[in-house]
Amino acid sequence: MRPSREALRGPALPDPSPTRVEALVDLARSGDGEAFGALYDHYVAAIHRYLYYRVSDQVVAEDLTSETFFRALRSIESFQWQGKDFGAWLTTIARNLVTDHFKSSRSRREVVSDALPERAHPGPGPEAGALAALTSQRLVTALRQLGPEQQDCLVMRFLQGLSIAETARAMGRTEGAVKQLQLRAIRGLAKRLPEDLR
Amino acid sequence: MRPLMPTRRDELADAIDGRGLARHADVRAWVELTEAVRALPEPALRASFLSELRSDLVVASRSELSEREPEHRAHPVAAPAPRWRRLAVAAASALVVAGGGVGVVATSAAALPGELLYPVKRAAERVDLAMHSGDSAAGHILLEHAETRLAEAQELVAANSDSLVAGTLADFSADATHGADSLFTAFADSGQPADIETLRAFAASAAASLDSLAPVLPASSYEAYWAAAAAVGALDSAAVRACPSCAGGTPAITLGTFAEDLGPEVIGSGRVPDTSRPGRRTPSTPGAIAPAPPAEASEPEVPSAPLPSTSPDPSGDNGGGDDGGGATAPPDDEQRTIVPEPSSPMPSDPLPSVPLPSVPLPYLPLSEGPVPEVAVP
């Protein structure tokens, strides 16, 4: 029996000049576990950073990071967005987990911490100066006082590094709405900082 | 009057994204604030957390994801690796998280089957392939992969990693066949000889590599070797048929070249064709050399067209004359059917000894002329 041309061709090839991430997403979508592993490598730090700054707890951040990627794995074969929006999709999953976390009884009993994250490499570094540390501490405190959507916007834009378009995707809003939210959030942050730091 | 807020909204957004400086002082202050937020410390990412999560995800992916083409996995899907091994691979992955991953991929480029980073190497090849669209480009990439498989097979033989050779040769057959198919499609669409010339150059080079491998192959890989040789012969004949005027019309490679290397003992009933060339070297392992098919024949479609059963086959639809004299190019489409799926890994030694069916071999000497140099990008 002559093998069909399709059978011999191998995996379907995507559109012209996809980026590496888009290529990985296509591979993962069609069942390639190694490709999913490579996507994990690419996105895990940013997702963890978003989660940490939203829930302020290392243990919870790790739990939610893990849950984010397992959920992504389970639903990747039905991922319909373009490959380039994969990061925004992961963030959507993470964001929903944050919402659920704050709704749960567990989080209501927790005191939301204003503590800065533990440094990955303890010891003197660029932020070691006392003034810088103080600024960071106050910044985090002020951030915590903002509403969830404003926190989301600032953390996604400036700690996770998402673009306006990606943030809009992740939050289910228009780009104009995200720009407006960004403005309000920064103004809100400034208002909550001591006079000398604004 | 235009409302003030939208203007500041866009002024802020533009300044943050580097599309111009902020005109207003308050906007400039806000931009500085965003910089301060960006500079907040990175949360610590525990290496053990990262590595364990990664390995848990990879294990879960085996049941969660439905692999569409399992026949490409010539190396078996292993049970979850021991903890130290998972941590080692994940530590490599942590480098990806920290520094961009180029180093890990580069380090994996020399990995051999059985080594820790080999899956990374193959994954990088798949990404490479997915980034090249179009039949011609894909075909070139797949032939490059096939050549890499041959180089791996040579290194495995040199390192006495016998059990891994068969799977690697099977992967070679798959990549070579897929690459050839893409190039045939490209040629059918474009009519440009370059793709066929690339294919023929690949075939000649692969034939030479297989040629040099034959005397030193472990017995467990003979069957995969035959399949690889058959695949190369088939794609070369198809190339000649597709474009007889390409590449100077060199006669097609046939199996005769390879069979000689394995020696008459291997060929069983000794139907070795007449040759006008001096005898080749005998295999290094004399005696009852019998390429043994796997004890459990999990792949029933062993290449059979050029290797007919011992019962005399007068129909000659394998294209070979009994004496190897009158045969020209091997038969057409039937031969393509013999391109096998990559077989599952061979069982380890000892293998039962089964006499190889007799092989009437059509023989044509390889042209002594120079093979056209075609650069494979």
Side-chain angles (χ1 to χ4, degrees), chain A residues 1-3 5 7-11 13-20 23-24 27-28 30-34 36-38 40-41 44-45 48-49 52-53 58 62 65-66 69-70 73-74 76-77 116-120 127 136 139-140 157-159 164 176 179-180 182-183 186-187 189-190 193, chain B residues 5-6 8-10 12-13 16-17 19 29-30 33-34 36-46 49-51 53-54 56-58 60-61 64-69 72 93 96-97 105 119-120 123 126-127 129-135 138 142 177-178 181-182 184-185 333 336-337 339:
Chain A
M1 183 194 66
R2 192 167 193 276
R5 192 160 282 266
L8 285 178
R9 186 182 301 279
L13 302 172
D15 282 332
S17 317
T19 63
R20 183 171 181 272
L24 285 171
L27 287 169
S30 58
D32 190 327
E34 286 291 346
F36 187 84
Y40 166 87
D41 296 334
V44 65
H48 178 266
R49 198 178 312 133
Y52 178 84
Y53 273 103
Q58 177 76 321
E62 285 186 357
T65 301
S66 172
F69 281 95
F70 273 101
L73 179 63
R74 279 179 225 126
I76 189 162
E77 284 172 321
L116 288 173
E118 292 163 26
R119 308 256 325 275
E127 297 108 9
S136 297
L139 209 44
V140 172
R157 287 283 289 135
F158 305 114
L159 284 161
I164 294 275
K179 284 188 200 172
Q180 191 70 34
Q182 170 175 268
L183 174 64
I186 283 289
R187 291 179 72 221
L189 191 67
L193 285 173
Chain B
M5 292 317 298
R8 272 184 166 63
R9 176 194 87 171
D10 292 319
L12 175 64
I16 288 170
D17 289 342
R19 286 190 301 271
W30 296 333
L33 196 47
T34 67
V37 175
R38 274 190 227 267
L40 282 172
E42 284 275 333
L45 258 178
R46 295 188 300 131
F49 163 72
L50 270 185
S51 64
L53 177 54
R54 192 187 203 280
D56 290 345
L57 284 166
V58 170
S61 74
E64 294 284 349
L65 299 180
S66 47
E67 299 243 29
R68 295 252 183 91
E69 288 169 301
H72 285 194
S93 305
V96 171
V97 172
V105 172
V120 176
R126 287 197 292 279
V127 174
L129 179 63
M131 287 172 65
H132 287 81
S133 61
D135 291 305
L142 284 163
T177 308
H178 289 195
D181 196 55
S182 291
F184 285 131
T185 305
D333 288 292
R336 295 204 71 176
T337 67
V339 174

Side-chain angles (χ1 to χ4, degrees), chain A residues 2 14 20 28-29 33 36 57 62 71 80 83 106 117 130 147 150 155 161 168-169 181-182 190:
Chain A
R2 192 167 193 276
R20 183 171 181 272
R29 249 198 281 240
F36 187 84
D57 181 282
E62 285 186 357
R71 288 196 183 188
Q80 299 286 6
R106 177 188 168 198
Q150 292 183 359
V155 174
R169 269 282 194 185
L181 188 60
Q182 170 175 268

Side-chain angles (χ1 to χ4, degrees), chain B residues 92-156:
Chain B
S93 305
L95 289 178
V96 171
V97 172
V102 172
V104 177
V105 172
T107 310
S108 74
L112 289 180
E115 290 178 359
L116 212 52
L117 287 178
Y118 190 66
V120 176
K121 177 182 186 181
R122 296 298 297 271
E125 284 184 359
R126 287 197 292 279
V127 174
D128 205 25
L129 179 63
M131 287 172 65
H132 287 81
S133 61
D135 291 305
S136 179
H140 281 81
I141 293 272
L142 284 163
L143 293 188
E144 275 182 32
H145 294 174
E147 285 171 346
T148 307
R149 299 289 87 77
L150 271 187
E152 288 167 359
Q154 286 166 333
E155 286 189 66
L156 287 170

Side-chain angles (χ1 to χ4, degrees), chain B:
Chain B
M1 286 247 309
R2 284 177 60 203
L4 216 49
M5 292 317 298
T7 308
R8 272 184 166 63
R9 176 194 87 171
D10 292 319
E11 188 181 327
L12 175 64
D14 289 342
I16 288 170
D17 289 342
R19 286 190 301 271
L21 292 170
R23 285 195 318 273
H24 295 90
D26 51 355
V27 177
R28 281 200 295 275
W30 296 333
V31 174
E32 280 184 30
L33 196 47
T34 67
E35 296 298 319
V37 175
R38 274 190 227 267
L40 282 172
E42 284 275 333
L45 258 178
R46 295 188 300 131
S48 59
F49 163 72
L50 270 185
S51 64
E52 286 178 19
L53 177 54
R54 192 187 203 280
S55 66
D56 290 345
L57 284 166
V58 170
V59 169
S61 74
R62 288 178 195 138
S63 47
E64 294 284 349
L65 299 180
S66 47
E67 299 243 29
R68 295 252 183 91
E69 288 169 301
E71 65 269 15
H72 285 194
R73 300 183 70 100
H75 31 279
V77 176
R83 181 183 164 83
W84 69 265
R85 189 178 266 247
R86 286 190 281 149
L87 282 177
V89 173
S93 305
L95 289 178
V96 171
V97 172
V102 172
V104 177
V105 172
T107 310
S108 74
L112 289 180
E115 290 178 359
L116 212 52
L117 287 178
Y118 190 66
V120 176
K121 177 182 186 181
R122 296 298 297 271
E125 284 184 359
R126 287 197 292 279
V127 174
D128 205 25
L129 179 63
M131 287 172 65
H132 287 81
S133 61
D135 291 305
S136 179
H140 281 81
I141 293 272
L142 284 163
L143 293 188
E144 275 182 32
H145 294 174
E147 285 171 346
T148 307
R149 299 289 87 77
L150 271 187
E152 288 167 359
Q154 286 166 333
E155 286 189 66
L156 287 170
V157 168
N160 290 315
S161 304
D162 289 356
S163 61
L164 298 167
V165 176
T168 307
L169 287 175
D171 284 349
F172 160 81
S173 300
D175 283 341
T177 308
H178 289 195
D181 196 55
S182 291
L183 288 176
F184 285 131
T185 305
F187 178 71
D189 290 339
S190 72
Q192 299 293 324
D195 287 330
I196 299 296
E197 286 165 2
T198 299
L199 193 49
R200 297 222 58 210
F202 163 80
S205 149
S209 299
L210 285 169
D211 219 30
S212 65
L213 255 186
V216 291
L217 282 175
S220 57
S221 66
Y222 283 164
E223 187 146 358
Y225 170 84
W226 279 105
V232 171
L235 64 87
D236 194 54
S237 321
V240 168
R241 279 197 314 281
C243 181
S245 58
C246 292
T250 329
I253 299 158
T254 71
L255 290 179
T257 316
F258 312 117
E260 278 190 282
D261 282 329
L262 290 177
E265 303 91 292
V266 176
I267 299 187
S269 71
R271 303 186 78 172
V272 181
D274 283 340
T275 110
S276 54
R277 297 165 86 183
R280 309 276 289 237
R281 53 193 182 278
T282 52
S284 49
T285 47
I289 306 165
E296 52 272 20
S298 49
E299 294 288 335
E301 62 265 24
V302 167
S304 57
L307 304 171
S309 64
T310 31
S311 57
D313 187 0
S315 65
D317 66 336
N318 57 348
D322 280 353
D323 55 9
T328 50
D332 49 299
D333 288 292
E334 288 82 73
Q335 188 132 354
R336 295 204 71 176
T337 67
I338 57 126
V339 174
E341 303 296 339
S343 51
S344 46
M346 297 296 166
S348 47
D349 293 326
L351 295 162
S353 186
V354 174
L356 184 69
S358 72
V359 184
L361 294 166
Y363 176 73
L364 273 183
L366 265 182
S367 164
E368 300 296 347
V371 175
E373 286 294 315
V374 176
V376 178

